[in-house]
Every structure is written in structure tokens, then in C-alpha cells.
């Protein structure tokens, strides 16, 4: 049996619990949230103990793994504590608001040899497996991605200093797929705007963020990529995010989480998604915990760390106006 504790029983914590209960050999032992009612009610549902202080939970419970689903400005510090105690964890993306603490987590994980996963569940989509298969036989020349969104539902994500901005919070999933399918990113240049969402109405609901994002990446393979993201729009736009992968006489259009359209000169093949990627990710994570190794875990911290570094480097580029080399960005802060 794999004994699980969860920190942060909000939107994402709930999504993990809903999938964990479908996995064999998993027992939810403890739930922690600073909202006591939420912690208590969630724990009751799973016949688990509840806590409002995660350090107490770590002290009292004998846990094989901890899911960390608290807000971005604090969860990296909780993950470092969990790793220092030698406990395996699944941490939600984005890892952190700065590169220094993300590196500190990576070093702590290496030192304590714990199994560490990060919530980049899109790697588990069957349409992504299909895209990977097709594109491994066809060199990608260019990627062109977009993430058209509105004001985030969760209030703290609206604030750039808590959520990190659209690229760090959301488009990080697309950047991760760039790397997963095309290869390592060498450098990024970005420019952001603050023109559309600075109205009184936006301020009243706590929106304090960039509203549109344009970035260009160079891959180590020689391929190039664009990504545009925005919080300026309204909810409900059809196919509001996705990536076009372009190879010689081939367009592989990925519609985020739902569909893959493979377009050739004389034929179009469409694949639709049926899997719940969070469930698939959690099955892989639980299996890594049982094995005591994250070498084969698709979303290990080792494999996904640079996706987060690219998102943070994009923010740095937008602020400084400079092209950021990713190796330098990581090693300067090492
Ligand atoms: N992988 C994905 O697709 C995905 C989707 C949504 C959210 N997320 C990420 O998950 C994380 C959580 O986001 P969310 O949308 O669930 O936020 P949320 O605000 O809905 O939930 C956060 C929960 O953490 C609790 N909390 C805050 N501080 C705490 C503390 N010190 N100790 C214990 N509990 C504490 C809050 O009371 C709340 O219940 C974020 O980093 C977010 O970016 C990932």
C-alpha cells in the first residue's frame, strides 16, 4: 500500500484526490489545508486524518508520498521540506517564482534521492504520444503555439507576484510539450504587454498582471518556435490553446488536451483524446514510488525542470529586453 498525504485541498488538490481513489494500492492517509473546514471535510470523505499545519502532518504520519497543491508562492518551500525528510512528492507546476529556489529543490531531491514528480500531465495524453511518434520520424522545423485565456478563476493567480504570469502559470504546459516533442530549448526572447487589462473593472477583481505575451525560442536542434499567450480574452473560446508542429510537408496540429490533426498534402487524419492525463500521471508516479526510482517517470523533476526554467527566463527577457540563454540562466544561479 502507498500511503499518501496531501497539502492544499483546493481545485488541483481535489483533481488529484479524484484520480488517486481510482488507483489500486493507494491509501489517502492525511489531508492538510489552512482552511480547517475544507481540510476536515475532505479528510472525512477519505477516512483520513486532517491537519492545518503541514509540518505537523509530516511529523505525525508515516507517508510514502506527499502531493503538494498549494499556491505557487509557497509550495516550493514545502517541497524542499518534504524532500529533506526523505519523502517522495508530486509537486504542482509551476515549481516556483524564481530560479534559485527551483535549483535548491533539484539539489535537495538529488541529495535525498526521493522520487519527485511535477504536474505536467499533458505528457500522458494519447494524442501527445501519437505526435511524438510521428514527429520522431520527421524533423520539426518550427512550432507555433497559442494560449488564449481570460482572467484566471483563482484570485491569487490574477496577481503576477503570486502566480508568476500567464507563461509561468499556464503556457508552461506548452513549453513542456515543446521540449518533450522537439528537444532542448537553447534560448528565449520575450516581450509582454500591459495595455488591455488595466481598467478599473480589472483592478477591482484584483487583476495585476501582464495581459499579453509573445515569445520566440531557439531549440538546440536548430528548430525555432513562437508562443503567444493572453489573459485579455473572455471564457469559452473554442480550441483556445494548442501547438502547430511544422515539418517538411507536414503540419501536426495539437489542440490542447483534446485533438490532434495530422495534415499532409493529400490527407488529414484526426485523433481525439480519451484519457484523463492526471489519472495516467498519478499511476506513473505511484509506480515510481513503489519502485523507489523516478528514472522512468515521465514527469520527474529532472526531466521537467528546464521547462520551468524557460518560462522564468521568458519573464526575465521581457523585463530586461535581452535574449536569455537557458544554460547560462540556470548555471549563473547554480
Ligand atoms: N497541472 C495543472 O494543470 C494545474 C491546474 C490547476 C492548478 N495547478 C497548480 O496547482 C497549484 C494550486 O492551485 P489551485 O488552483 O488548486 O489553487 P487553490 O487556491 O484552489 O488551492 C490552494 C489550496 O491551498 C490551501 N493553502 C494555502 N496555503 C496553504 C498552506 N500554507 N498550507 C496548506 N494549505 C494551504 C488553500 O487554502 C487552498 O485550499 C498552483 O501552483 C497551480 O498553478 C495546476
Amino acid at each position: 500500500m502507498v500511503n499518501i498525504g496531501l497539502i492544499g485541498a483546493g481545485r488541483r488538490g481535489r483533481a488529484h484526490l479524484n484520480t488517486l481513489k481510482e488507483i489500486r494500492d493507494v491509501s489517502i492517509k492525511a489531508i492538510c489545508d489552512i482552511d480547517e473546514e475544507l481540510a476536515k471535510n475532505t479528510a472525512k470523505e477519505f477516512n483520513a486524518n486532517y491537519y492545518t499545519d503541514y509540518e505537523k502532518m509530516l511529523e505525525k504520519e508515516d507517508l510514502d508520498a506527499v502531493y503538494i497543491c498549494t499556491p505557487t508562492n509557497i509550495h516550493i518551500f514545502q517541497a524542499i521540506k518534504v524532500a529533506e525528510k526523505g519523502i517522495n512528492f508530486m509537486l504542482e507546476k509551476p515549481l516556483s517564482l524564481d530560479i534559485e529556489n527551483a535549483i535548491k529543490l533539484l539539489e535537495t531531491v538529488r541529495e535525498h534521492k526521493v522520487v519527485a514528480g511535477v504536474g505536467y500531465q499533458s505528457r500522458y495524453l494519447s494524442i501527445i504520444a501519437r505526435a511524438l511518434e510521428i514527429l520522431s520520424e520527421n524533423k520539426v522545423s518550427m512550432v507555433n503555439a497559442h494560449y488564449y485565456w481570460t482572467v484566471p478563476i483563482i484570485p491569487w493567480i490574477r496577481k503576477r507576484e503570486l502566480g508568476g504570469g500567464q507563461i509561468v502559470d499556464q503556457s508552461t504546459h506548452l513549453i513542456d510539450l515543446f521540449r518533450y516533442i522537439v528537444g532542448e530549448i537553447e534560448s528565449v526572447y520575450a516581450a509582454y504587454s500591459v495595455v488591455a487589462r488595466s481598467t478599473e473593472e480589472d483592478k477591482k477583481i484584483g487583476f495585476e498582471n501582464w495581459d499579453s505575451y509573445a515569445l520566440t525560442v531557439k531549440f538546440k536542434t536548430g528548430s525555432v518556435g513562437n508562443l503567444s499567450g493572453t489573459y485579455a480574452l473572455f471564457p469559452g473560446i473554442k480550441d483556445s490553446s494548442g501547438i502547430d508542429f511544422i515539418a517538411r510537408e507536414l503540419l501536426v496540429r495539437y489542440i490542447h488536451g483534446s485533438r490532434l490533426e495530422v495534415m499532409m498534402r493529400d490527407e488529414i487524419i484526426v485523433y481525439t483524446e480519451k484519457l484523463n492525463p492526471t489519472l495516467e500521471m498519478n499511476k506513473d508516479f505511484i509506480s515510481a514510488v513503489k519502485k523507489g526510482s523516478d528514472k522512468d517517470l515521465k514527469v520527474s523533476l529532472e526531466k521537467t525542470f528546464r521547462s520551468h526554467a524557460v518560462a522564468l527566463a521568458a519573464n526575465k527577457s521581457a523585463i530586461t529586453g535581452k535574449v536569455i540563454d537557458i544554460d547560462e540562466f540556470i548555471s549563473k544561479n547554480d
Side-chain angles (χ1 to χ4, degrees):
M1 191 59 77
V2 178
N3 293 322
I4 302 284
L6 176 122
I7 315 172
R11 177 178 57 156
R12 192 61 183 155
R14 166 56 59 182
H16 281 298
L17 291 171
N18 286 349
T19 59
L20 284 167
K21 69 184 180 196
E22 289 184 37
I23 303 173
R24 272 179 52 190
D25 298 339
V26 168
S27 172
I28 313 287
K29 287 285 177 199
I31 305 282
C32 171
D33 201 293
I34 47 167
D35 177 339
E36 189 168 359
E37 273 307 290
L38 179 63
K40 204 189 215 169
N41 291 338
T42 313
K44 201 169 159 200
E45 212 182 303
F46 290 90
N47 208 11
N49 298 322
Y50 82 88
Y51 296 84
T52 53
D53 176 344
Y54 82 99
E55 293 195 65
K56 271 206 186 114
M57 178 180 91
L58 299 182
E59 238 171 66
K60 293 212 167 148
E61 301 282 339
D62 187 12
L63 300 171
D64 298 307
V66 172
Y67 275 70
I68 307 167
C69 308
T70 42
T72 304
N73 63 325
I74 56 167
H75 64 202
I76 188 87
F77 306 107
Q78 297 173 332
I80 291 169
K81 281 253 166 70
V82 169
E84 278 169 352
K85 288 195 172 289
I87 304 173
N88 308 307
F89 65 84
M90 168 61 76
L91 172 62
E92 261 313 331
K93 49 53 56 186
L95 290 177
S96 61
L97 296 171
D98 58 29
I99 190 72
E100 293 84 354
N101 281 303
I103 291 169
K104 188 165 175 208
L105 178 65
L106 189 62
E107 286 168 353
T108 313
V109 162
R110 284 175 182 165
E111 187 188 337
H112 293 270
K113 299 186 173 48
V114 296
V115 171
V118 186
Y120 284 109
Q121 70 274 9
S122 302
R123 288 187 177 215
Y124 293 89
L125 292 161
S126 66
I127 50 177
I128 286 298
R130 192 78 195 104
L132 187 61
E133 197 180 359
I134 296 165
L135 292 164
S136 64
E137 288 158 14
N138 292 275
K139 280 188 188 154
V140 174
S141 168
M142 183 180 92
V143 295
N144 196 22
H146 70 285
Y147 212 127
Y148 290 172
W149 208 246
T150 183
V151 173
I153 319 169
I154 302 292
W156 60 262
I157 299 181
R158 296 173 192 163
K159 297 197 192 309
R160 164 186 162 185
E161 73 270 23
L162 298 179
Q166 200 273 344
I167 300 297
V168 167
D169 184 68
Q170 228 175 6
S171 285
T172 187
H173 283 296
L174 302 185
I175 292 174
D176 187 56
L177 294 178
F178 280 16
R179 291 185 53 250
Y180 186 57
I181 292 185
V182 183
E184 213 48 271
I185 292 173
E186 185 177 286
S187 62
V188 62
Y189 171 76
Y192 300 165
S193 69
V194 190
V195 292
R197 278 215 183 272
S198 333
T199 65
E200 283 311 309
E201 194 186 328
D202 294 311
K203 281 184 197 143
K204 216 190 268 173
I205 56 164
F207 186 88
E208 290 163 23
N209 221 318
W210 292 294
D211 44 53
S212 288
Y213 305 70
L215 59 107
T216 301
V217 300
K218 250 176 86 178
F219 290 86
K220 290 188 174 176
T221 57
S223 321
V224 291
N226 285 314
L227 167 60
S228 340
T230 188
Y231 278 151
L233 282 161
F234 47 86
I237 294 172
K238 190 172 174 281
D239 298 343
S240 66
S241 67
I243 310 174
D244 282 348
F245 296 93
I246 291 160
R248 186 175 184 279
E249 306 231 346
L250 175 70
L251 169 57
V252 177
R253 175 160 291 168
Y254 164 71
I255 314 295
H256 197 32
S258 67
R259 211 163 71 247
L260 192 75
E261 297 171 355
V262 181
M263 301 184 213
M264 293 152 284
R265 201 182 270 257
D266 304 313
E267 193 183 10
I268 298 177
I269 307 171
V270 178
Y271 301 91
T272 49
E273 187 58 57
K274 294 193 180 66
L275 295 177
N276 172 347
T278 299
L279 172 61
E280 299 307 312
M281 175 173 75
N282 286 335
K283 282 186 198 160
D284 198 21
F285 175 71
I286 296 299
S287 145
V289 169
K290 283 183 179 169
K291 275 194 258 170
S293 163
D294 59 18
K295 201 168 69 59
D296 298 325
L297 177 65
K298 264 189 205 164
V299 290
S300 68
L301 178 66
E302 289 285 349
K303 290 179 188 138
T304 58
F305 171 79
R306 278 183 74 106
S307 305
H308 180 58
V310 172
L312 290 176
N315 280 5
K316 183 169 179 191
S317 173
I319 291 165
T320 60
K322 294 193 171 127
V323 175
I324 309 291
D325 178 280
I326 306 303
D327 288 335
E328 262 177 43
F329 180 64
I330 295 169
S331 66
K332 258 193 197 157
N333 294 284
D334 212 342

